[in-house]
């Protein structure tokens, strides 16, 4: 790495131009993160208007995220080649136009196709946004603040997405949730002169076989895991996972022998890069499935409506944003590893509070636990993301940034698939041993399939309802118990591997 990276005291400080450019990049992050949460709310209206089948409903929701993760590694490398700002502007333009078309879709298949284009466009925006910060903020302290602000925009989008979506859907048709992306895209294009360009002029062509292998591997792997989590195991989804793993192995072998790799495997020799990437993956793996169960618990056990549950979940999202923003302050006082450990211990306390009190505590205690977990997770993920991008040479920042998105998407899918499945196994086991006498086989089958169907089927059968709620609470506690153990293991890994890394490293 160059001297600017090594000696932060001599690195030039950013001007108002870079800070204004950061605002534009944060706007793009906000747009992408709020889009998915708004889409969840709009699905009932979309279903009523376009009448999609159950399969089409799933594809409308998942295809964008699936292709975003599948193409992000390719787009990260492509941005290094053709110019990060140029690729960002192309992606934002496609995203804005795609959102305009999606708003006026007249059939389910049309919306699925447009959502696919939106996913590919999102794959260009994410790595370009993060890697552009690397050549806008050379001073490490300012770079920390820039990363924190950009990631807080993601948290803000997730927190404000539901209320914004609800407001739009109350007053307009479902297409309005897509139309709000158009002025954001226009604003980002208008402010693009504030962004500095970076291009790696190594002259090497993009390896299209590597592009094919990486996209095939990621798309089939995540598709298989998502569908197994949604509908259970079958040969098609299991085969998809096997194809994904096989393509991933071939991709890695090709990168190790290629003169122009899509993913430079030498980055994994850097301990800070490798451990920070593992940190991101383990956090999401340990906590992703719990978030899904928490939302279900508020409705199935606590008896809240979807809108009431959504409003309550804004608090943990806002605390996550606050945790993200304080990470630069923490790393000024202590080494990055100690800041990560301190914040993770706060997250552990939140997960442990939920584990110990779910049976007897009120909603307020559970929200406090979820807020502590979200607040503690924020600084760790921010510092890890900063170290991933800052620990590699400038010409590999795009690929490093793409790896953060790949690891996040893959870990979240794994968490939903495996931690979520573990929770359902515990729920079904507890319910099987506590079902009251006289329950019909049809009601029992529905109860075993999902807690929502179980609550609906048991509305007039009090003993059955109590059994369902008690069984789901046991599963809920088990999920957060696993999260507690996983986060404590991560604390030990960080202390072991990163305790000697200083801010200026």
């Amino acid at each position: 790495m160059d001297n600017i990276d090594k000696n932060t005291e001599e690195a030039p400080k950013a001007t108002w131009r870079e800070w204004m450019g950061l605002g534009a990049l944060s706007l793009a992050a906000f747009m992408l993160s709020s889009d998915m949460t708004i889409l969840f709310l709009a699905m009932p209206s979309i279903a009523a208007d376009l009448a999609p089948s159950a399969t089409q409903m799933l594809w409308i929701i998942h295809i964008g995220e699936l292709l975003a993760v599948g193409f992000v590694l390719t787009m990260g490398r492509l941005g290094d080649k053709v110019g990060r700002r140029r690729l960002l502007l192309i992606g934002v333009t496609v995203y804005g136009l795609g959102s305009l078309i999606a708003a006026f879709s007249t059939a389910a298949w049309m919306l699925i196709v447009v959502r696919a284009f939106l996913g590919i466009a999102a794959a260009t925006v994410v790595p370009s946004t993060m890697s552009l910060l690397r050549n806008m903020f050379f001073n490490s302290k300012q770079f920390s603040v820039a990363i924190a602000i950009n990631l807080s925009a993601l948290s803000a989008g997730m927190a404000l997405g539901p209320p914004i979506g609800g407001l739009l859907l109350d007053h307009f048709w479902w297409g309005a949730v897509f139309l709000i992306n158009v002025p954001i895209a226009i604003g980002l294009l208008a402010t693009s002169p504030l962004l500095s360009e970076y291009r790696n002029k190594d002259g090497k062509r993009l390896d299209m076989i590597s592009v094919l292998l990486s996209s095939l591997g990621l798309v089939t792997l995540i598709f298989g895991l998502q569908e197994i989590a949604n509908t259970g195991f079958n040969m098609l989804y299991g085969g998809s996972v096997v194809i994904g793993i096989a393509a991933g192995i071939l991709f890695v072998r090709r990168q190790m022998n290629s003169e122009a790799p899509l993913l430079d495997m030498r980055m994994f020799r850097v301990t800070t890069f490798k451990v920070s990437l593992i940190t991101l993956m383990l956090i999401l793996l340990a906590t992703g499935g719990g978030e899904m169960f928490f939302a279900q618990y508020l409705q199935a056990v606590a008896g809240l409506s979807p809108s009431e549950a959504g409003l309550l979940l804004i608090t943990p999202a806002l605390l996550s944003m606050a945790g993200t923003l304080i990470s630069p302050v923490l790393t000024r006082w202590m080494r990055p590893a100690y800041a990560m450990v301190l914040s993770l211990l706060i997250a552990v306390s939140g997960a442990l509070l939920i584990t110990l009190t779910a049976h007897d505590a009120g909603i307020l205690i559970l929200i406090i636990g979820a807020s502590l977990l979200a607040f503690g997770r924020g600084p760790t993920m921010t510092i890890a993301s900063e170290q991933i991008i800052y620990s590699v040479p400038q010409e590999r920042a795009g690929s490093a940034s793409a790896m953060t998105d790949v690891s996040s998407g893959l870990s979240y899918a794994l968490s939903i698939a495996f931690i979520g499945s573990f929770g359902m196994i515990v729920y079904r086991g507890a319910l099987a041993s506590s079902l009251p006498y006289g329950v019909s086989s049809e009601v029992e089958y529905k109860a075993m399939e999902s807690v929502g169907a179980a609550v609906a089927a048991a509305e007039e059968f009090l003993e059955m309802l109590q059994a369902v709620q008690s069984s789901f609470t046991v599963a809920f506690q088990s999920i957060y118990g696993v999260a507690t153990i996983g986060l404590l293991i991560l604390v030990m890994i960080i202390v072991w591997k990163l305790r000697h890394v200083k801010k200026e490293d």
Side-chain angles (χ1 to χ4, degrees):
M1 294 171 63
D2 54 36
N3 291 331
I4 283 178
D5 290 337
K6 292 180 179 178
N7 192 342
T8 61
E9 297 300 322
E10 297 179 4
K13 292 191 175 181
T15 65
W16 66 269
R17 185 185 184 92
E18 282 75 29
W19 291 110
M20 292 290 289
L22 171 63
L25 294 176
S26 298
L27 200 60
F30 179 89
M31 176 179 69
L32 294 181
S33 62
S34 63
D35 232 20
M36 180 54 71
T37 53
I38 290 177
L39 181 62
F40 286 142
L41 283 177
M43 285 310 296
S45 300
I46 293 173
D49 186 24
L50 302 183
S53 66
T55 302
Q56 287 175 325
M57 287 275 285
L58 287 175
W59 277 111
I60 289 171
I61 294 172
H62 292 308
I63 193 166
E65 182 183 357
L66 192 66
L67 294 181
V69 177
F71 281 90
V72 71
L73 195 57
T74 298
M75 296 304 178
R77 183 72 177 109
L78 188 62
D80 292 337
K81 296 286 292 179
V82 305
R84 294 169 186 169
R85 185 180 70 174
R86 178 184 297 177
L87 187 66
L88 174 66
L89 297 183
I90 293 171
V92 169
T93 301
V94 173
Y95 205 91
L97 290 173
S99 297
L100 183 62
I101 298 171
F104 297 99
S105 294
T106 56
W109 67 265
M110 181 179 176
L111 185 56
I112 291 171
V113 171
V114 177
R115 285 276 299 147
F117 278 102
L118 289 176
I120 296 172
T124 70
V125 174
V126 174
S128 298
T129 298
M130 294 289 285
S131 57
L132 273 172
L133 297 178
R134 175 68 186 277
N135 57 291
M136 291 168 63
F137 297 91
F138 293 103
N139 181 277
S140 69
K141 291 181 179 179
Q142 291 187 328
F143 182 71
S144 297
V145 174
I147 284 283
I149 291 174
N150 190 258
L151 291 179
S152 69
L154 292 170
S155 299
M158 296 184 69
L160 299 178
I164 291 173
L167 186 64
L168 289 171
L169 291 168
D170 283 343
H171 295 89
F172 305 100
W173 94 113
W174 60 264
V177 303
F178 291 103
L179 278 184
I180 61 169
N181 293 329
V182 177
I184 295 177
I186 293 173
L188 184 54
L189 292 174
T191 55
S192 61
L194 296 170
L195 305 175
S196 56
E197 181 61 286
Y198 177 85
R199 181 181 178 186
N200 180 19
K201 301 177 181 178
D202 60 11
K204 296 177 181 177
R205 300 181 64 182
L206 199 64
D207 183 0
M208 295 310 297
I209 295 179
S210 293
V211 168
L212 178 63
L213 287 173
S214 69
S215 300
L216 175 66
L218 288 168
V219 168
T220 53
L221 177 61
I222 294 178
F223 167 75
L225 292 173
Q226 281 184 344
E227 295 307 307
I228 288 172
N230 286 329
T231 61
F233 180 84
N234 64 34
M235 293 302 294
L236 173 63
Y237 304 143
S240 181
V241 171
V242 171
I243 291 172
I245 294 172
I249 293 172
L250 291 175
F251 172 76
V252 171
R253 292 184 63 180
R254 186 171 182 85
Q255 302 318 290
M256 295 177 70
N257 299 315
S258 175
E259 294 183 359
L262 185 64
L263 177 64
D264 191 345
M265 302 304 294
R266 291 175 297 178
M267 293 191 298
F268 290 93
R269 298 175 188 171
V270 180
T271 300
T272 304
F273 174 87
K274 181 168 53 181
V275 178
S276 297
L277 199 63
I278 291 172
T279 297
L280 273 183
M281 294 187 71
L282 285 181
I283 288 176
L284 291 172
L285 185 61
T287 61
E291 292 177 350
M292 178 182 68
F293 266 69
F294 198 93
Q296 292 183 4
Y297 179 92
L298 291 178
Q299 297 174 69
V301 180
L304 301 181
S305 68
S307 59
E308 290 171 336
L311 287 172
L312 274 179
L313 291 174
I314 291 177
T315 302
L318 292 176
L319 265 292
S320 175
M321 184 170 63
T324 298
L325 289 172
I326 69 164
S327 58
V329 179
L330 292 177
T331 52
R332 289 182 186 179
W333 292 345
M334 60 188 78
R335 290 187 178 185
Y338 299 152
M340 294 165 79
V341 166
L342 176 63
S343 59
L344 276 177
L345 290 176
I346 295 173
V348 167
S349 70
L352 188 61
L353 180 63
I354 294 172
T355 304
L356 297 177
T357 64
H359 254 298
D360 307 310
I363 296 175
L364 178 60
I365 297 297
L366 296 178
I367 291 297
I368 290 173
S371 299
L372 287 172
L373 176 57
F375 180 77
R377 201 172 68 165
T380 305
M381 296 182 69
T382 305
I383 296 168
S385 299
E386 176 189 348
Q387 291 186 150
I388 288 169
I389 298 173
Y390 217 68
S391 62
V392 301
Q394 171 78 301
E395 63 270 14
R396 287 290 180 259
S399 296
S401 175
M403 279 303 300
T404 66
D405 205 52
V406 169
S407 61
S408 298
L410 183 58
S411 299
Y412 198 79
L414 285 169
S415 184
I416 296 296
F418 294 114
I419 303 298
S421 297
F422 166 73
M424 288 305 296
I425 290 171
V426 174
Y427 163 72
R428 288 166 182 157
L431 185 60
S433 62
S434 60
L435 278 174
Y437 177 78
V439 175
S440 67
S441 57
E442 181 182 354
V443 172
E444 181 179 351
Y445 176 78
K446 288 182 178 179
M448 291 293 180
E449 282 300 299
S450 78
V451 67
V455 170
E459 281 182 349
E460 298 180 1
F461 193 168
L462 183 59
E463 290 184 22
M464 174 70 177
L465 182 61
Q466 290 174 341
V468 167
Q469 292 177 333
S470 176
S471 300
F472 192 78
T473 301
V474 172
F476 181 64
Q477 289 177 299
S478 301
I479 288 289
Y480 277 91
V482 170
T484 302
I485 296 170
L487 293 175
L488 286 173
I489 292 173
L490 182 56
V491 166
M492 291 185 283
I493 292 173
I494 291 172
V495 171
W496 176 34
K497 288 292 188 178
L498 296 180
R499 67 184 184 279
H500 299 303
V501 176
K502 298 178 181 179
K503 175 73 175 177
E504 55 269 24
D505 295 338

